[in-house]
Amino acid sequence: LMKKNNFIFSVIIFLLHLIPLLFAPIDISWYEKLSKPLFMPPLIIIFIIWCIVFMIISFLSTNIISLRNHESKRFFIILIILNYFFIQFYPYIMFSLKDIFLGFVNLLLMLLTVFMLYIVSSKINQKLSIYMIIVMLWVLFNAFLQCGLLKYN
C-alpha cells in the first residue's frame, strides 16, 4: 500500500510541475526568433529532458518525504517547495515577460535550491541524493544556455 501511495504522490508532483506549460501564455514565436548559441538543443529535447527532471524530483521528493522522521526532512520540504516555485516561474518569465536576464536569475536561484537539496537529501539518504546530481547538471546546463541567450540577444 505504501509503494502505491508513493507512486500516486509522485505522479501528482510530476503533474504539478507541468502546470505552467498548460496555463502560462507561452510565446514560442518570440523564442524561435532569438539568436541561440550553437550548443542549444531543439525545444522539444529541452522539454523532454525537463520532464525527466520533473520525474526525478517527484521520485526523490516522495521517497524522502515517506522516510521516517529525520531532523533535515522539514528543511528538505521547504527547499523542494521553493525549488518548485522557481521552476513554475521560469516559463512565465521567459515566454510571457520575455525577460532573458530575469530568467537567468531565476535559473541561478533554481540551481542554488537544487544544490541545497542535494546537500540536505544526502544527509537523509545518500543513495537517493545521487539523483539530485542529474538535476543539478541539467539546471547548470540551462544556466549556460541562458547565458548564451543573454550574450546573443
Side-chain angles (χ1 to χ4, degrees):
L1 184 64
M2 189 64 157
K3 287 188 178 191
K4 182 179 178 185
N5 288 342
N6 281 358
F7 176 75
I8 291 169
F9 190 60
S10 288
V11 170
I12 290 169
I13 292 173
F14 172 74
L15 293 174
L16 285 172
H17 279 86
L18 298 178
I19 287 174
L21 301 175
L22 301 174
F23 297 108
I26 295 175
D27 188 353
I28 298 294
S29 63
W30 168 79
Y31 175 80
E32 293 297 331
K33 293 176 188 171
L34 293 174
S35 298
K36 297 169 194 71
L38 294 174
F39 55 91
M40 177 76 77
L43 203 53
I44 188 68
I45 300 297
I46 293 173
F47 172 76
I48 291 168
I49 296 174
W50 270 113
C51 285
I52 293 168
V53 164
F54 297 156
M55 285 182 220
I56 291 170
I57 292 171
S58 302
F59 168 79
L60 179 69
S61 300
T62 301
N63 283 285
I64 295 283
I65 291 169
S66 69
L67 294 174
R68 291 181 175 228
N69 285 341
H70 188 280
E71 61 191 36
S72 299
K73 194 163 127 175
R74 178 174 284 165
F75 189 49
F76 177 86
I77 292 169
I78 291 168
L79 285 172
I80 206 74
I81 291 169
L82 195 57
N83 180 262
Y84 172 79
F85 282 111
F86 290 132
I87 290 171
Q88 295 303 302
F89 288 132
Y90 182 78
Y92 176 74
I93 291 168
M94 275 299 292
F95 299 105
S96 295
L97 297 180
K98 300 174 184 166
D99 192 327
I100 298 170
F101 177 74
L102 193 55
F104 177 68
V105 171
N106 182 275
L107 277 167
L108 290 180
L109 292 170
M110 197 185 307
L111 185 60
L112 177 64
T113 59
V114 169
F115 179 71
M116 292 171 67
L117 279 165
Y118 169 73
I119 291 170
V120 173
S121 62
S122 67
K123 291 179 182 178
I124 299 171
N125 186 311
Q126 190 70 38
K127 289 181 185 175
L128 287 175
S129 69
I130 293 170
Y131 292 103
M132 284 311 292
I133 293 172
I134 298 167
V135 176
M136 210 177 333
L137 290 172
W138 177 245
V139 176
L140 183 62
F141 178 68
N142 274 270
F144 281 116
L145 293 177
Q146 199 77 12
C147 281
L149 291 176
L150 276 170
K151 179 181 176 182
Y152 296 119
N153 298 282

